[in-house]
Amino acid sequence: MPYNVLVTISAAYVVLLFAVAFWADKRAEAGKLGWLRSPWVYTLSLSIYCTAWTFYGAVGYAARSGLEFVTIYLGPTLVMIGWWVFLRRMVRIGRTQRVTSIADFISSRYGKSNALGVLVTLLAVVGTTPYIALQLQSVTLSFDVFAHRGTTGNSESLTQTAFFVAAGLTLFTIVFGTRNLDVNERHHGVVTAIAVEAIVKLLALLAVGMFVVFWVGGGAGETFEA
């Protein structure tokens, strides 16, 4: 795909997500929640769990290990099973203590300890930074492959792409996620944008799956026999 076309499509997609988030926030501010509070929107927004690692790591792990890759999703599955008991209690405690982060939540259980809050924050940053780096690397390499630039070994080009991706994600987070740190606030814009992105992911996965089964594999029967 030509580089300019890829950049245009990517920019248009990002603008679409910004527009959806902005529109959802405006409807929420006007009190026109309607389907913004639909279980479908919330369910689709859970696809945030399926990050770039899902498309790269999970697929490769499944190809190497078979059904063993399902164990990756054992933790989230157990969380959803225990949602009614554990998560409801966490939400209730969070509202009572008026906490807005995992650091506040844990420190509130030990007398609002500032030192503990700082420690948890540092651990969270250290623990999530490599994972965020993995996401940026996946997106950057994907962009490079689609652009057919042959710059996989060009660190400068990859760094520039990663910078713009990170800048866009940061801007989106600031505008729609962290403007107000109110424990009772609902980020309808972010949730709705993620739900729209989930639909795009589902359509893309279905398209790729059908292509592999019916075009590459020659049909469902031949694919499973192989």
Side-chain angles (χ1 to χ4, degrees), residues 17-178:
L17 293 180
F18 269 82
V20 169
F22 181 79
W23 173 78
D25 274 347
K26 288 300 180 182
R27 283 187 62 89
E29 291 175 2
K32 300 178 181 179
L33 296 175
W35 58 268
L36 293 178
R37 302 181 64 178
S38 169
W40 286 99
V41 175
Y42 177 77
T43 302
L44 287 171
S45 70
L46 293 179
S47 68
I48 190 67
Y49 181 78
C50 297
T51 58
W53 192 92
T54 302
F55 294 94
Y56 285 88
V59 174
Y61 190 61
R64 294 192 306 270
S65 306
L67 290 178
E68 186 179 342
F69 89 98
V70 177
T71 56
I72 298 173
Y73 304 98
L74 181 61
T77 303
L78 293 176
V79 169
M80 296 307 299
I81 293 175
W83 177 88
W84 189 259
V85 177
F86 299 107
L87 287 186
R88 281 172 62 90
R89 184 179 180 185
M90 291 176 63
V91 170
R92 184 172 64 253
I93 294 173
R95 289 181 176 177
T96 302
Q97 300 292 333
R98 302 190 63 81
V99 299
T100 57
S101 67
I102 185 63
D104 290 339
F105 180 82
I106 295 178
S107 65
S108 67
R109 303 297 292 171
Y110 297 93
K112 295 283 187 178
S113 172
N114 291 331
L116 181 59
V118 171
L119 177 61
V120 173
T121 301
L122 292 176
L123 290 176
V125 171
V126 172
T128 57
T129 297
Y131 191 74
I132 295 175
L134 177 63
Q135 309 308 313
L136 290 175
Q137 183 184 35
S138 300
V139 174
T140 302
L141 292 178
S142 298
F143 190 91
D144 197 65
V145 169
F146 278 108
H148 294 294
R149 292 186 297 178
T151 58
T152 304
N154 190 337
S155 59
E156 182 178 355
S157 176
L158 296 179
T159 301
Q160 290 177 353
T161 304
F163 172 79
F164 287 114
V165 171
L169 293 175
T170 302
L171 179 62
F172 186 88
T173 303
I174 293 174
V175 173
F176 298 106
T178 59

Side-chain angles (χ1 to χ4, degrees), residues 203-217:
L203 293 177
L205 285 174
L206 286 174
V208 172
M210 293 180 66
F211 172 78
V212 171
V213 172
F214 295 103
W215 184 267
V216 178

Side-chain angles (χ1 to χ4, degrees), residues 1-16 143:
M1 181 182 295
Y3 179 75
N4 293 336
V5 175
L6 181 60
V7 171
T8 302
I9 294 175
S10 300
Y13 181 62
V14 172
V15 170
L16 173 64
F143 190 91

